[in-house]
Amino acid sequence: MTTVYTRENENGDIVEVFGCQQPGMSLTPRDDASVEVRKFFRLPAEIISVSSRQFKLQLFATDLLDRVDAWVAQQPRDVRIAYDYSGVFVKDSPMMMAGFAAMGFNPQQIDDFFAAAAQL
């Protein structure tokens, strides 16, 4: 086992890992096999897109499908085409951001929606 050095945020979560002490930085020495270090390297990747099937099934699961369909029906034709024929829905695309804003979602709710959709 090797010693690594970590920098933590205000919550105590590791935000950086170094192989040696860094000049001018207050770092915590840890065993490279420690639970905290292993957890840091296994952080899940941010979900930035889901398939159309996943997205629409999540809308259905959260009782939003009819509401979103009604909103989409009122949008310009390019938005309607994108909603109907896209194979992938990208979280930070302008259409998605407008739709989530219209549904009253905050950023955490959007992240949670995509995380749940990715599991379908």
Side-chain angles (χ1 to χ4, degrees):
M1 289 185 233
T2 306
T3 299
V4 296
Y5 298 86
T6 62
R7 186 173 67 83
E8 295 82 23
N9 65 15
E10 60 279 352
N11 297 325
D13 300 320
I14 296 174
V15 295
E16 289 183 288
V17 176
F18 301 93
C20 61
Q21 194 58 270
Q22 302 294 305
M25 295 181 79
S26 176
L27 302 174
T28 305
R30 297 182 188 263
D31 184 301
D32 66 350
S34 71
V35 171
E36 297 87 357
V37 172
R38 287 195 333 252
K39 180 180 172 188
F40 172 79
F41 284 111
R42 292 187 182 151
L43 290 175
E46 179 185 4
I47 298 166
I48 60 171
S49 66
V50 293
S51 71
S52 177
R53 180 190 65 79
Q54 290 171 312
F55 184 81
K56 291 180 181 181
L57 283 174
Q58 184 61 23
L59 289 177
F60 179 73
T62 55
D63 293 323
L64 289 170
L65 186 59
D66 292 337
R67 192 169 154 209
V68 170
D69 284 347
W71 179 81
V72 169
Q74 301 299 314
Q75 300 309 302
R77 191 169 189 192
D78 63 329
V79 172
R80 295 190 316 263
I81 291 169
Y83 179 74
D84 289 339
Y85 298 105
S86 289
V88 174
F89 285 82
V90 179
K91 182 168 51 173
D92 63 355
S93 71
M95 179 184 80
M96 296 300 298
M97 298 309 291
F100 278 118
M103 298 299 125
F105 275 57
N106 65 41
Q108 184 61 55
Q109 290 170 311
I110 296 169
D111 289 344
D112 293 345
F113 181 93
F114 268 78
Q119 298 303 309
L120 298 174

